Amino acid sequence: QVQLVESGGGLVQPGGSLRLSCAFSGSRFSIYAIAWYRQARGKQRDLVAASTSGGSINYADSVKGRFTISRDNAKNTVYLQMNSLKPEDTAVYYCNVGGSTLGYWGQGTQVTVSS
């Protein structure tokens, strides 16, 4: 019954911005680590950004300085702000709450960066 519903994906031109949202329907959201992953066509799923409940944050080198992960515990929502988008950012983006092995996953949302 617990689910993560993603929104905010779409088509954007290079240099543009998007904000992805991921709404968590379960309880105790504030104690969980959060993360965003992406999977381009023909490639494996890779970590984009992650944040523990204690405040430790890390980003993939390819998105440092351009993407920001955040959370709103009052709204049970995870965000990924994506600026200065590049064609190589094109992928299906997945949110995760509670860890990659035992946690919950969003359904994925397509982000396409193209002229």
Side-chain angles (χ1 to χ4, degrees):
Q1 187 166 312
V2 174
Q3 61 181 3
L4 284 165
V5 179
E6 299 184 33
S7 62
L11 176 65
V12 65
Q13 294 182 335
S17 297
L18 285 174
R19 189 178 77 158
L20 306 183
S21 298
C22 184
F24 179 66
S25 68
S27 62
R28 301 188 297 163
F29 174 73
S30 63
I31 73 171
Y32 292 116
I34 58 172
W36 288 92
Y37 291 75
R38 68 186 181 187
Q39 186 169 23
R41 179 183 292 183
K43 297 183 178 180
Q44 69 178 17
R45 186 176 300 185
D46 292 323
L47 179 68
V48 175
S51 179
T52 70
S53 59
S56 178
I57 300 174
N58 66 280
Y59 296 94
D61 287 342
S62 59
V63 307
K64 285 181 179 177
R66 301 189 297 120
F67 290 12
T68 303
I69 186 172
S70 63
R71 68 196 300 162
D72 187 336
N73 288 334
K75 296 182 178 179
N76 280 19
T77 301
V78 183
Y79 301 100
L80 184 68
Q81 179 67 46
M82 304 184 293
N83 299 325
S84 302
L85 283 161
K86 304 174 180 179
E88 51 263 44
D89 295 319
T90 296
V92 177
Y93 284 71
Y94 299 88
C95 63
N96 173 269
V97 174
S100 62
T101 57
L102 298 177
Y104 302 95
W105 290 90
Q107 83 280 7
T109 186
Q110 177 71 46
V111 172
T112 302
V113 184
S114 176
S115 298

mmCIF file of all heavy atoms in Angstrom, residues 23-44:
data_model
loop_
_atom_site.group_PDB
_atom_site.id
_atom_site.type_symbol
_atom_site.label_atom_id
_atom_site.label_comp_id
_atom_site.label_asym_id
_atom_site.label_seq_id
_atom_site.Cartn_x
_atom_site.Cartn_y
_atom_site.Cartn_z
ATOM 1 N N ALA A 23 6.254 11.985 -3.983
ATOM 2 C CA ALA A 23 5.400 12.016 -2.801
ATOM 3 C C ALA A 23 5.309 10.633 -2.167
ATOM 4 O O ALA A 23 4.936 9.661 -2.829
ATOM 5 C CB ALA A 23 4.009 12.519 -3.168
ATOM 6 N N PHE A 24 5.618 10.550 -0.879
ATOM 7 C CA PHE A 24 5.652 9.307 -0.121
ATOM 8 C C PHE A 24 4.357 9.157 0.661
ATOM 9 O O PHE A 24 3.969 10.055 1.418
ATOM 10 C CB PHE A 24 6.855 9.332 0.823
ATOM 11 C CG PHE A 24 7.018 8.130 1.702
ATOM 12 C CD1 PHE A 24 7.298 6.888 1.162
ATOM 13 C CD2 PHE A 24 6.929 8.251 3.079
ATOM 14 C CE1 PHE A 24 7.478 5.778 1.971
ATOM 15 C CE2 PHE A 24 7.114 7.151 3.901
ATOM 16 C CZ PHE A 24 7.388 5.914 3.342
ATOM 17 N N SER A 25 3.681 8.009 0.519
ATOM 18 C CA SER A 25 2.389 7.802 1.166
ATOM 19 C C SER A 25 2.485 7.102 2.515
ATOM 20 O O SER A 25 1.475 6.970 3.211
ATOM 21 C CB SER A 25 1.461 6.999 0.247
ATOM 22 O OG SER A 25 1.922 5.671 0.085
ATOM 23 N N GLY A 26 3.663 6.640 2.910
ATOM 24 C CA GLY A 26 3.821 5.904 4.152
ATOM 25 C C GLY A 26 4.033 6.803 5.349
ATOM 26 O O GLY A 26 3.878 8.023 5.296
ATOM 27 N N SER A 27 4.410 6.179 6.455
ATOM 28 C CA SER A 27 4.650 6.887 7.703
ATOM 29 C C SER A 27 6.147 6.979 7.986
ATOM 30 O O SER A 27 6.967 6.342 7.338
ATOM 31 C CB SER A 27 3.936 6.192 8.858
ATOM 32 O OG SER A 27 4.423 4.875 9.039
ATOM 33 N N ARG A 28 6.496 7.796 8.980
ATOM 34 C CA ARG A 28 7.874 7.958 9.447
ATOM 35 C C ARG A 28 8.827 8.414 8.355
ATOM 36 O O ARG A 28 9.994 8.029 8.315
ATOM 37 C CB ARG A 28 8.388 6.651 10.070
ATOM 38 C CG ARG A 28 7.565 6.173 11.256
ATOM 39 C CD ARG A 28 8.235 5.004 11.938
ATOM 40 N NE ARG A 28 8.333 3.848 11.067
ATOM 41 C CZ ARG A 28 9.150 2.820 11.277
ATOM 42 N NH1 ARG A 28 9.944 2.799 12.330
ATOM 43 N NH2 ARG A 28 9.161 1.803 10.420
ATOM 44 N N PHE A 29 8.337 9.270 7.475
ATOM 45 C CA PHE A 29 9.138 9.734 6.350
ATOM 46 C C PHE A 29 10.446 10.384 6.797
ATOM 47 O O PHE A 29 11.488 10.205 6.165
ATOM 48 C CB PHE A 29 8.318 10.719 5.517
ATOM 49 C CG PHE A 29 9.081 11.368 4.400
ATOM 50 C CD1 PHE A 29 9.426 10.656 3.266
ATOM 51 C CD2 PHE A 29 9.454 12.700 4.477
ATOM 52 C CE1 PHE A 29 10.127 11.248 2.227
ATOM 53 C CE2 PHE A 29 10.150 13.311 3.453
ATOM 54 C CZ PHE A 29 10.484 12.583 2.322
ATOM 55 N N SER A 30 10.399 11.129 7.890
ATOM 56 C CA SER A 30 11.548 11.929 8.306
ATOM 57 C C SER A 30 12.759 11.099 8.718
ATOM 58 O O SER A 30 13.880 11.619 8.725
ATOM 59 C CB SER A 30 11.154 12.869 9.450
ATOM 60 O OG SER A 30 10.765 12.142 10.597
ATOM 61 N N ILE A 31 12.588 9.825 9.055
ATOM 62 C CA ILE A 31 13.711 9.007 9.509
ATOM 63 C C ILE A 31 14.469 8.353 8.358
ATOM 64 O O ILE A 31 15.555 7.803 8.562
ATOM 65 C CB ILE A 31 13.270 7.910 10.491
ATOM 66 C CG1 ILE A 31 12.520 6.784 9.770
ATOM 67 C CG2 ILE A 31 12.436 8.499 11.616
ATOM 68 C CD1 ILE A 31 12.264 5.574 10.647
ATOM 69 N N TYR A 32 13.925 8.412 7.151
ATOM 70 C CA TYR A 32 14.502 7.679 6.030
ATOM 71 C C TYR A 32 15.507 8.506 5.239
ATOM 72 O O TYR A 32 15.323 9.708 5.033
ATOM 73 C CB TYR A 32 13.405 7.211 5.074
ATOM 74 C CG TYR A 32 12.495 6.159 5.636
ATOM 75 C CD1 TYR A 32 11.139 6.420 5.816
ATOM 76 C CD2 TYR A 32 12.980 4.907 5.965
ATOM 77 C CE1 TYR A 32 10.290 5.444 6.320
ATOM 78 C CE2 TYR A 32 12.141 3.931 6.474
ATOM 79 C CZ TYR A 32 10.799 4.205 6.644
ATOM 80 O OH TYR A 32 9.969 3.236 7.141
ATOM 81 N N ALA A 33 16.542 7.824 4.761
ATOM 82 C CA ALA A 33 17.406 8.411 3.748
ATOM 83 C C ALA A 33 16.643 8.534 2.431
ATOM 84 O O ALA A 33 15.724 7.760 2.158
ATOM 85 C CB ALA A 33 18.655 7.555 3.548
ATOM 86 N N ILE A 34 17.016 9.505 1.617
ATOM 87 C CA ILE A 34 16.379 9.717 0.323
ATOM 88 C C ILE A 34 17.439 9.733 -0.765
ATOM 89 O O ILE A 34 18.604 10.050 -0.524
ATOM 90 C CB ILE A 34 15.565 11.024 0.280
ATOM 91 C CG1 ILE A 34 16.464 12.230 0.597
ATOM 92 C CG2 ILE A 34 14.396 10.953 1.255
ATOM 93 C CD1 ILE A 34 15.779 13.573 0.392
ATOM 94 N N ALA A 35 17.019 9.418 -1.977
ATOM 95 C CA ALA A 35 17.955 9.397 -3.095
ATOM 96 C C ALA A 35 17.213 9.498 -4.410
ATOM 97 O O ALA A 35 16.015 9.195 -4.509
ATOM 98 C CB ALA A 35 18.803 8.123 -3.075
ATOM 99 N N TRP A 36 17.939 9.930 -5.430
ATOM 100 C CA TRP A 36 17.480 9.899 -6.806
ATOM 101 C C TRP A 36 18.468 9.095 -7.641
ATOM 102 O O TRP A 36 19.679 9.263 -7.509
ATOM 103 C CB TRP A 36 17.350 11.303 -7.397
ATOM 104 C CG TRP A 36 16.202 12.085 -6.854
ATOM 105 C CD1 TRP A 36 16.208 12.933 -5.790
ATOM 106 C CD2 TRP A 36 14.863 12.091 -7.366
ATOM 107 N NE1 TRP A 36 14.958 13.468 -5.603
ATOM 108 C CE2 TRP A 36 14.115 12.975 -6.554
ATOM 109 C CE3 TRP A 36 14.222 11.443 -8.426
ATOM 110 C CZ2 TRP A 36 12.759 13.221 -6.768
ATOM 111 C CZ3 TRP A 36 12.880 11.689 -8.637
ATOM 112 C CH2 TRP A 36 12.169 12.568 -7.820
ATOM 113 N N TYR A 37 17.935 8.234 -8.489
ATOM 114 C CA TYR A 37 18.700 7.461 -9.445
ATOM 115 C C TYR A 37 18.196 7.771 -10.851
ATOM 116 O O TYR A 37 17.089 8.282 -11.023
ATOM 117 C CB TYR A 37 18.553 5.960 -9.191
ATOM 118 C CG TYR A 37 19.197 5.450 -7.924
ATOM 119 C CD1 TYR A 37 18.621 5.690 -6.683
ATOM 120 C CD2 TYR A 37 20.379 4.713 -7.968
ATOM 121 C CE1 TYR A 37 19.204 5.224 -5.518
ATOM 122 C CE2 TYR A 37 20.967 4.233 -6.813
ATOM 123 C CZ TYR A 37 20.376 4.490 -5.591
ATOM 124 O OH TYR A 37 20.958 4.009 -4.445
ATOM 125 N N ARG A 38 19.007 7.447 -11.842
ATOM 126 C CA ARG A 38 18.545 7.573 -13.219
ATOM 127 C C ARG A 38 19.074 6.420 -14.059
ATOM 128 O O ARG A 38 20.115 5.842 -13.766
ATOM 129 C CB ARG A 38 18.954 8.915 -13.835
ATOM 130 C CG ARG A 38 20.445 9.100 -14.067
ATOM 131 C CD ARG A 38 20.711 10.528 -14.535
ATOM 132 N NE ARG A 38 22.124 10.766 -14.803
ATOM 133 C CZ ARG A 38 22.637 11.957 -15.083
ATOM 134 N NH1 ARG A 38 21.852 13.028 -15.127
ATOM 135 N NH2 ARG A 38 23.944 12.072 -15.312
ATOM 136 N N GLN A 39 18.323 6.107 -15.110
ATOM 137 C CA GLN A 39 18.694 5.025 -16.008
ATOM 138 C C GLN A 39 18.446 5.470 -17.443
ATOM 139 O O GLN A 39 17.298 5.655 -17.858
ATOM 140 C CB GLN A 39 17.897 3.757 -15.700
ATOM 141 C CG GLN A 39 18.330 2.554 -16.507
ATOM 142 C CD GLN A 39 17.703 1.273 -16.000
ATOM 143 O OE1 GLN A 39 16.661 1.284 -15.349
ATOM 144 N NE2 GLN A 39 18.350 0.157 -16.283
ATOM 145 N N ALA A 40 19.535 5.664 -18.172
ATOM 146 C CA ALA A 40 19.443 5.996 -19.588
ATOM 147 C C ALA A 40 19.224 4.725 -20.396
ATOM 148 O O ALA A 40 19.534 3.617 -19.947
ATOM 149 C CB ALA A 40 20.705 6.714 -20.041
ATOM 150 N N ARG A 41 18.710 4.896 -21.610
ATOM 151 C CA ARG A 41 18.449 3.746 -22.470
ATOM 152 C C ARG A 41 19.727 2.947 -22.697
ATOM 153 O O ARG A 41 20.761 3.505 -23.066
ATOM 154 C CB ARG A 41 17.873 4.197 -23.801
ATOM 155 C CG ARG A 41 17.584 3.057 -24.768
ATOM 156 C CD ARG A 41 17.074 3.560 -26.098
ATOM 157 N NE ARG A 41 15.746 4.146 -25.996
ATOM 158 C CZ ARG A 41 15.063 4.597 -27.031
ATOM 159 N NH1 ARG A 41 15.585 4.536 -28.253
ATOM 160 N NH2 ARG A 41 13.862 5.129 -26.855
ATOM 161 N N GLY A 42 19.656 1.645 -22.446
ATOM 162 C CA GLY A 42 20.780 0.766 -22.662
ATOM 163 C C GLY A 42 21.838 0.790 -21.585
ATOM 164 O O GLY A 42 22.884 0.158 -21.749
ATOM 165 N N LYS A 43 21.598 1.506 -20.486
ATOM 166 C CA LYS A 43 22.573 1.607 -19.416
ATOM 167 C C LYS A 43 21.963 1.167 -18.087
ATOM 168 O O LYS A 43 20.751 1.035 -17.949
ATOM 169 C CB LYS A 43 23.099 3.036 -19.301
ATOM 170 C CG LYS A 43 23.835 3.527 -20.532
ATOM 171 C CD LYS A 43 24.401 4.914 -20.322
ATOM 172 C CE LYS A 43 25.179 5.387 -21.541
ATOM 173 N NZ LYS A 43 25.734 6.748 -21.333
ATOM 174 N N GLN A 44 22.817 0.946 -17.101
ATOM 175 C CA GLN A 44 22.350 0.550 -15.781
ATOM 176 C C GLN A 44 21.854 1.761 -14.998
ATOM 177 O O GLN A 44 22.111 2.909 -15.358
ATOM 178 C CB GLN A 44 23.460 -0.160 -15.005
ATOM 179 C CG GLN A 44 24.608 0.724 -14.592
ATOM 180 C CD GLN A 44 25.659 -0.021 -13.785
ATOM 181 O OE1 GLN A 44 25.705 -1.246 -13.779
ATOM 182 N NE2 GLN A 44 26.502 0.716 -13.086
#
